[in-house]
Amino acid sequence: MPLLRREIGDVLRSARQQQGRTLREVSGAARVSLGYLSEVERGQKEASSELLSSICDALAVPMSTVLRAVSDRVAAAEGLPVPVPATVAATVPAAGVGDLGIPPVVITRDGLVSAA
């Protein structure tokens, strides 16, 4: 059985790495300690809804997109069908991050992140 905190951490880490950003950059933007963000990404700490929102904002990834990717990963791990076909991905807009040079990302139904 997958742990929700690990799945959330994996999706957040994938988004951060796809953007080519460091833990330090994202932790500063999210106003959370580098160590705590690292623990969240590794699934060692449960992120509160407020903290998750802050991290998503720092990554310019809608929380709903992260939660959908996590839900699909958990469903797949449970052997349940995922309602969205594997070839369909949710595009994450990069609105408000153009000045930062952060590219938009795509999070597929299995939680993998790639450039849009």
Side-chain angles (χ1 to χ4, degrees):
M1 178 59 112
L3 289 177
L4 190 57
R5 68 176 184 256
R6 285 193 188 139
E7 298 300 330
I8 290 171
D10 286 347
V11 171
L12 293 173
R13 183 184 321 104
S14 292
R16 177 183 60 77
Q17 289 175 337
Q18 179 59 41
Q19 293 176 9
R21 298 175 70 194
T22 65
L23 276 168
R24 187 172 308 283
E25 291 168 339
V26 175
S27 69
R31 296 188 175 155
V32 61
S33 76
L34 186 146
Y36 197 82
L37 178 58
S38 176
E39 288 179 315
V40 168
E41 283 191 1
R42 288 181 282 134
Q44 295 177 333
K45 293 286 184 182
E46 295 274 355
S48 68
S49 58
E50 292 85 1
L51 179 62
L52 183 57
S53 177
S54 182
I55 295 168
C56 288
D57 287 346
L59 290 169
V61 176
M63 189 183 329
S64 61
T65 301
V66 169
L67 294 176
R68 182 171 290 115
V70 169
S71 176
D72 290 347
R73 288 171 58 115
V74 170
E78 292 174 338
L80 298 174
V82 178
V84 179
T87 57
V88 176
T91 302
V92 180
V97 296
D99 295 339
L100 299 175
I102 300 169
V105 296
V106 174
I107 301 179
T108 63
R109 70 168 199 56
D110 58 359
L112 299 176
V113 180
S114 63

